[in-house]
Amino acid sequence: MKLIIASDIHGSLKYTHKLEELIIKENPDNIILLGDLLYHGARNSLPEEYSTIDVANILKNIDTSKNTHEIIKQVFDYVVENTEYKDEAENDQNIQSVFITNQSVCAGYVRAMQYLLLKLGIDCTLIDVNDYEDPNAEIGHCLIMADVDGNYLYYDPTWADEVEDIHHTCYAFFSLTHEDLLKNYVPKIHYEETKDVKATYFYEKNLVLSKWDEKWIVERWKEAKNENKKHIEIKCENEEIYQDVYAR
């Protein structure tokens, strides 16, 4: 996944045009615009070609036509793919560990993801939890709760950083419902229920298995292969289907 992150344009038409050129050249998956896009600062001189109206019109028309699931997935992928899990990494409780040294623990993963989502206008918060298998652990864990078009879903970029066999992003920890949350974690604070369990990434991408269907699985595998993926992840609609698949 490729991101372009821009900030401090300060209303400069010259540097806005440079940003446009970079977007055309790099063709990013998403563009994140941070602060001071128009404001130049009262103590600073006017920047070159200062024109806040023109800059605002250009930025307003930048194509960001992706749905919320796609935007969150790009941020999720970015954090997972660019971060190595390491205990006691430098600044591991804040976003510097992800964006600068690329080594962190769950707090760094989650705070970096939260920072980018908030900048993209997606309301989210950090949820403190314990592992379901160790609910009384002194050292806990954390993940993201996000408002996805009025539906609350959960994201764990740390556990998604799969390295046991082939390094990849494990989407079993992406776009979780509150029911999934309670199967894997013990929340320490208030959490919101998911109103529509089918308004999730796996349903949207037709990756939910509702009954054993070998032809359907082969079709999903071919789609993944055409996208040069080395693995595919699907979700079983319920425990009964999961056990049926597991037993085969």
Side-chain angles (χ1 to χ4, degrees), residues 21-66:
E21 293 169 5
L22 184 63
I23 291 170
I24 294 170
K25 178 183 176 182
E26 298 294 338
N27 189 28
D29 295 299
N30 214 329
I31 303 154
I32 299 176
L33 301 176
L34 303 181
D36 290 342
L37 301 175
L38 303 177
Y39 182 59
H40 70 282
R43 293 175 295 177
N44 301 322
S45 302
L46 288 178
E48 296 181 69
E49 300 180 31
Y50 182 66
S51 179
T52 56
I53 294 176
D54 290 329
V55 169
N57 286 332
I58 291 171
L59 296 180
K60 182 175 65 177
N61 291 320
I62 289 177
D63 182 17
T64 56
S65 55
K66 292 180 170 62

Side-chain angles (χ1 to χ4, degrees), residues 101-114:
T101 59
N102 305 115
Q103 293 180 327
S104 195
V105 295
C106 61
Y109 279 77
V110 169
R111 287 187 172 120
M113 182 175 174
Q114 180 188 27

Side-chain angles (χ1 to χ4, degrees), residues 27 64 99 168 189-190 203:
N27 189 28
T64 56
F99 296 132
H168 70 280
I189 60 176
H190 175 75
Y203 276 102

